[in-house]
Structure formats: structure tokens, C-alpha cells
Amino acid sequence: MEEIEELSPLRVASTVQALSSALRGNRENAPAANRSKGDRVFPDPEKLWFKESSAKNLRNRDFLSPATVLNTLYADGQVPPAVMSRVLSLRGSGVLPVAGAEVMGEGLRLRVDRAAAFKAVLAGQTADYLKPSSQKEGCVLINCPALHPKIYTPTPETLTLGQLRTVLLADHMGALLRSQGFSVFYCPKLPKDGNIVAFLRALGIDWPTAAADLTYEEQEEQILKALESSIYREEGADRGRKTCRGGGGDGGKKVEEEEENEGALRINLKRVFQEEGLLGYDPSLGTCTVQRDSISQLAQLDLCTADCTDVTVTVLHVTSCQDEFRQQQMAMLWRASGAPHAQKHVVCGPVKTPGSHLTATWDDIIKVMTSATVRFELLSTVHTSPVTLDVQKEGGVSTKGPRGGVFVMYNCARLHTLFDSYERGVEKGLYPEIPEGSQLDFSALKEEGEWLLLFNYLIPFSELLDQSGQAIGYEGGGARANIKTEQICKFLVSLSKDFSSYYNRVHVLGEPLPHLFNQMFCRLYLLRALRELYHSALETLNLPPIRQL
């Protein structure tokens, strides 16, 4: 068995990159004009290999370079001996060890030295696989328009399910971005001891609060002055303040359809994004009459960004699709007032409840929904897509079964129960203490479910976390932030299915016989790492692990 150099944690991306370089050879650095032969164009490096994930394929290969790729790279589709030698001798920082490779009908399939990989992950610094591979810098302000007061502060009775989805998403993104190293702040601050705060805390959301009698008159005055002197103020508008401070806006495109009141403050929003080169904003944004609730929201945004001491500040507006137009107006109004910060919009699809009209405190369901269930119901779908909760149909809400939060928490608890049972066995003298990982022979982990848990979950998790911060600080791509917020929930559900299948099939705590201890200890190392993986993933959802069944 080949030992792995202790250089850095094993990474799928590093392995694919190294495999691609080995397969392409000198073509990697060749000019684009020279990277073709006849009419054939060599494929992009990232498309040369892909990682297997299904249990069926993992029985005979871990990575595959498809036959179509080989036929493109080599005229006869046959991998030259020199290339095969480079693939088999592959080593490097973060690269999974290679056990063998062969060309079959489906392509060049590669198998990882699994015993060496188990040892590197489980007997090494397992914590490196439970956190992002690198830490980022910067400040992110997460703005949740659903919590801004229109006339009054929202309550659990007035908060719709669609709005609740944006709050949960904002909370989840905050945890993900903090794990990346970002400083995260939230807007607005809610009245301390209000019923909406108590309701959110019941769902595990610790939203920032302020004194109930706190006012923002000074900040509102500053925003108003800035808009009055803005270069984007509509020419010819009366510069008086009386009318623009009165009344509240309905939001959406109705703002532009309101009657023009003499003396109202009006800002040409279309000029803002056109002249500043901002992409992705609705072309129908035109001239907006400034309303009092707009001034209030901008004042809170200004105040919250003042807490960000970092030079780089990104503002994420997490809103529903129904309110996207209104929030684009707010973003451009803020820009017109002189706010220099990069702004992105995370837009959630609607939550549909066929045949029912429910708010966030639906009485018949809240009794059986834990915080985990609520989160998984509203966060496991791509945030731009609709969520349908058929609350009138049995099973319409996944309070049980292998797809929801309860199932995930149950399997997390099973791991704690397993280790409690092991500790009791140690106290009774049935089992010895777990030895150091360097003393174990990890080739004992031969069950296909064991490799699947390591290869599909433990090793890739850090790279999954890395993806959450990629959209922050990226200026291109338009107004929307491309954050795949559903991935953690899907990851946990998939992990729980595969762990449950393995755990139901394998008797981890075997007979207290010395010749069986090595395999048992190797499995305990794997499942201990898996338990910590659950904790890290649940932490991004602000969910505590359940330790008892």
C-alpha cells in the first residue's frame, strides 16, 4: 500500500486537475492555434475527467475519462504508454493516491488507493475536511426586506410563507458566509422582545435586535438630503420636503403609476444603472417617487453598513420574486444617495399551498414541525424555484421519511447513540480504547458503503463550502447573486440516505474479540468523522445536533 505524503488535505478538484494535466501532457500549455489536429479540437481540461458518485460505478472505478474524450485526444482512442505511466505515477499536494487505471469500453477508468485515502483522511487532520479550504476577507450585509416595517413591524401572523422562506435563507447564507471568513451583518434590526423575534428564535434564528423605541430620524434626514442633491434627481421636480416624507409606497411597478404630487422627490433610477454600468436590472425601472418607507429602509441600510469596518462591503438583498422589482428600486435609490457598496439580489421563488391560505404560524402543522423540518422544507429547493407545500395531503410536508429534516436529525442522533454504546462497552471492559489512527490498518474498510461515505461526503464537503463564497465580491453576472443555497440540505439528505443504508447493513460494534478490533476501530474512525461532518453541516443551518433518539 502506497503512503500519501502529508502535504495538504485530499481534494477532488486538485485530483481532477492533476489527472487532466497527466492526460494532456504538453498540450496543456500549447497555444490555442496549435491545440487541434485536423478538424479535431482538444476538450477543455475540466471536461477530461469526472468523479463517480453512484454506488454501482464506484464498485470498479472512482474517476473516468470517457471514451469520447480519448477519441478526441488520440486518433485511435488508445492511451499511449507514456501517458498511462504519468497517470499511474500521479502524486502531488491534495491529489488522491492512484491504485490502478485501465482502458475499457466506457473509457479510461481510474481507481483510488482506498486504504491510503482512508488513512490520510481518518488518521490525519480530519478537521481540515470539515471547513472551507481557504478563508476570505470582507464584510457582507444581508438585508431581508420582509422584516422591514411597512406601516408596522411584521408579526408571525402577517409574515407569509414566502417571506419566511427569505428569512430562513438569509439566516442560512449568513452561517455559510461566516464559515468562509466573512464578517456578516443583518438588516433590519428588529424591536427587542417583540413577538416576531420570539417566533424567529423558536426556529433557531437569532436575528439582531434594537431597543423598541429606537428611531432613525438622523439617518433618514441624511438620506433625504443626499437624494435631494443627487445628480439623478428628476429635473424640474420641486425640491420641497413635505410631500416626499408623507405616505407609504405599495411597492412594485405601482410606484411609477402613482399620481405625481406637486413637490414630490423623484429619482430617475434607469439613469443610475445605465450610467454606472450596472447589469441585470429591470429595464422598466424608470422614475421613482421617493416614499417614506423607502427612506426608512435606506436609513437602516446606511446604519448597518456603518458597522462594517472592512473596506470591501457586499450587500445581499434576500427577497421574494414578487418583491424583486421593488427591491431593485430600493437598491438604485440607495445607489443614487451615494452608497458605494456592491449590491446583489438573492430572489426566492414562491411558496405554494394549494387549497389553503397560510401564514408563517399555520396552526395545524406547526405542532409537528420542528425547526429542522421547517428549514428543510423551505431551503432544500433551489431558492429561485417555487416550493409547494400540499398541507391538505398526507405526506405533503416531510415530517418523516428519507427526505426531510427529521430524517437528517434522526441519523445524526444514531451516530451519537452508537458512540454512547461503545463508551459503555469500554466501561464494562468489552472493548479497549480506540488506538491512534497510525496503528490501524485501514485496508480493513472494504465495504462499498464505507468508501462511498468517504469519497462522496467527507472529502468533497470542504469544496462544497468553498462554493458558497464564490459569488461574493464578483462584480460580473448581473444584479442577482448566484449562490446555490439548497446544496447543504440536499447534501445532508443524501448523506443520511447512504449512511442509513450502511448502518442498517453493517454491524459496527462487533463481538469483543481481539482479531475483530482493527476493523471495528477503522469503522469507528470513519463514523466519528461522519458525526463531525453532520455537526459542521448543521451548523451552517444554525441547527444544533440531536444527541439522543
Side-chain angles (χ1 to χ4, degrees):
M1 180 179 70
E2 183 182 359
E3 293 291 330
I4 303 177
E5 297 178 5
E6 295 184 3
L7 297 175
S8 64
L10 302 178
R11 302 292 185 216
V12 172
S14 300
T15 304
V16 170
Q17 183 179 14
L19 286 171
S20 298
S21 297
L23 201 61
R24 291 171 64 92
N26 294 332
R27 297 189 184 96
E28 184 77 30
N29 300 316
N34 297 330
R35 280 185 283 172
S36 62
K37 184 176 182 181
D39 295 329
R40 294 185 297 112
V41 178
F42 296 113
D44 294 333
E46 62 270 18
K47 297 180 180 179
L48 297 182
W49 293 86
F50 66 85
K51 171 191 172 295
E52 294 289 3
S53 58
S54 71
K56 177 182 178 181
N57 289 337
L58 286 175
R59 292 169 187 163
N60 54 50
R61 64 183 188 244
D62 299 308
F63 294 93
L64 178 70
S65 182
T68 53
V69 169
L70 302 183
N71 289 329
T72 303
L73 288 174
Y74 312 109
D76 55 1
Q78 296 298 311
V79 180
V83 174
M84 184 66 80
S85 178
R86 286 200 301 267
V87 171
L88 291 172
S89 60
L90 202 64
R91 296 177 68 86
S93 178
V95 176
L96 284 151
V98 176
E102 57 184 344
V103 177
M104 303 296 288
E106 66 270 27
L108 173 57
R109 61 188 192 188
L110 180 139
R111 189 173 178 85
V112 170
D113 185 338
R114 298 183 174 185
F118 273 122
K119 185 172 183 178
V121 176
L122 302 179
Q125 296 296 321
T126 306
D128 289 337
Y129 296 88
L130 307 179
K131 60 185 180 182
S133 60
S134 62
Q135 291 291 289
K136 297 179 174 62
E137 296 180 352
C139 177
V140 178
L141 175 66
I142 298 179
N143 178 41
C144 194
L147 295 178
H148 280 278
K150 304 302 183 289
I151 299 177
Y152 303 104
T153 300
T155 67
E157 290 74 26
T158 61
L159 197 68
T160 68
L161 288 177
Q163 291 172 327
L164 177 61
R165 187 185 187 191
T166 67
V167 179
L168 291 171
L169 194 66
D171 184 60
H172 176 43
M173 286 196 309
L176 281 174
L177 294 172
R178 281 194 298 271
S179 75
Q180 292 280 314
F182 290 102
S183 299
V184 179
F185 298 86
Y186 297 89
C187 185
K189 294 181 179 179
L190 297 173
K192 188 176 182 181
D193 298 328
N195 56 358
I196 186 66
V197 173
F199 171 71
L200 294 180
R201 285 177 179 167
L203 294 176
I205 301 173
D206 188 17
W207 199 269
T209 61
D213 58 352
L214 180 65
T215 62
Y216 302 93
E217 292 181 358
E218 182 178 348
Q219 289 78 19
E220 290 176 4
E221 186 74 13
Q222 293 173 356
I223 288 289
L224 188 57
K225 287 180 178 179
L227 289 174
E228 286 181 333
S229 60
S230 172
I231 61 173
Y232 301 108
R233 179 174 180 175
E234 191 78 344
E235 292 296 331
D238 190 314
R239 296 181 181 269
R241 298 187 180 183
K242 182 176 180 180
T243 304
C244 66
R245 290 296 293 258
D250 293 328
K253 297 186 179 181
K254 290 182 66 177
V255 173
E256 293 187 5
E257 298 171 0
E258 293 176 351
E259 295 182 358
E260 297 185 14
N261 296 315
E262 184 179 355
L265 176 61
R266 305 176 75 239
I267 303 295
N268 192 319
L269 304 182
K270 191 169 187 177
R271 280 186 55 207
V272 179
F273 69 79
Q274 285 182 335
E275 295 183 11
E276 299 196 19
L278 303 175
L279 302 177
Y281 283 86
D282 195 314
S284 64
L285 283 175
T287 298
C288 173
T289 301
V290 180
Q291 303 294 320
R292 183 169 184 172
D293 63 329
S294 300
I295 294 291
S296 175
Q297 185 175 156
L298 297 184
Q300 289 213 46
L301 285 169
D302 251 14
L303 191 63
C304 288
T305 52
D307 295 333
C308 302
T309 57
D310 299 74
V311 175
T312 304
V313 179
T314 300
V315 180
L316 292 179
H317 302 286
V318 186
T319 188
S320 65
C321 56
Q322 296 94 333
D323 292 334
E324 180 183 11
F325 186 89
R326 169 63 172 163
Q327 199 54 40
Q328 286 198 8
Q329 288 182 316
M330 294 301 304
M332 290 303 94
L333 273 179
W334 198 27
R335 194 84 174 186
S337 74
H341 315 298
Q343 299 183 66
K344 292 285 186 178
H345 299 260
V346 180
V347 182
C348 295
V351 177
K352 301 177 180 179
T353 55
S356 303
H357 178 70
L358 303 175
T359 66
T361 54
W362 58 103
D363 295 334
D364 293 333
I365 297 174
I366 198 66
K367 296 177 183 178
V368 295
M369 272 193 166
T370 62
S371 177
T373 304
V374 175
R375 287 176 182 269
F376 275 78
E377 284 296 328
L378 297 182
L379 295 182
S380 59
T381 302
V382 177
H383 69 268
T384 55
S385 300
V387 170
T388 300
L389 298 180
D390 193 347
V391 297
Q392 295 183 330
K393 177 182 177 182
E394 184 178 355
V397 175
S398 54
T399 56
K400 57 184 179 180
R403 67 184 182 95
V406 172
F407 180 69
V408 169
M409 304 303 278
Y410 168 71
N411 280 284
C412 179
R414 295 172 86 179
L415 284 166
H416 284 277
T417 300
L418 168 69
F419 282 93
D420 287 344
S421 298
Y422 167 72
E423 292 297 336
R424 288 195 297 271
V426 172
E427 293 172 0
K428 294 177 181 178
L430 297 177
Y431 307 122
E433 295 284 352
I434 300 179
E436 293 291 328
S438 58
Q439 302 176 28
L440 298 177
D441 179 7
F442 284 94
S443 63
L445 296 178
K446 299 181 182 298
E447 222 278 346
E448 66 179 40
E450 292 158 355
W451 177 246
L452 187 146
L453 291 171
L454 187 92
F455 194 55
N456 280 357
Y457 301 103
L458 274 169
I459 291 178
F461 179 66
S462 175
E463 295 170 79
L464 176 65
L465 290 178
D466 286 336
Q467 296 174 13
S468 63
Q470 291 176 352
I472 304 301
Y474 175 59
E475 294 296 335
R480 290 193 178 187
N482 184 24
I483 300 179
K484 298 180 179 179
T485 54
E486 78 287 352
Q487 288 188 335
I488 294 293
C489 286
K490 288 186 175 180
F491 177 89
L492 280 168
V493 170
S494 180
L495 165 63
S496 298
K497 289 179 180 178
D498 286 333
F499 164 68
S500 180
S501 175
Y502 170 76
Y503 192 75
N504 291 338
R505 189 172 64 251
V506 175
H507 188 48
V508 177
L509 297 181
E511 296 295 326
L513 301 174
H515 70 282
L516 299 178
F517 285 160
N518 177 75
Q519 184 182 57
M520 181 185 75
F521 290 143
C522 289
R523 287 173 170 170
L524 288 174
Y525 261 86
L526 172 63
L527 297 183
R528 185 168 63 184
L530 211 64
R531 181 183 63 182
E532 298 308 311
L533 176 61
Y534 266 104
H535 293 183
S536 296
L538 289 171
E539 187 176 353
T540 70
L541 294 165
N542 285 327
L543 287 172
I546 294 178
R547 300 178 185 273
Q548 293 182 347
L549 294 174

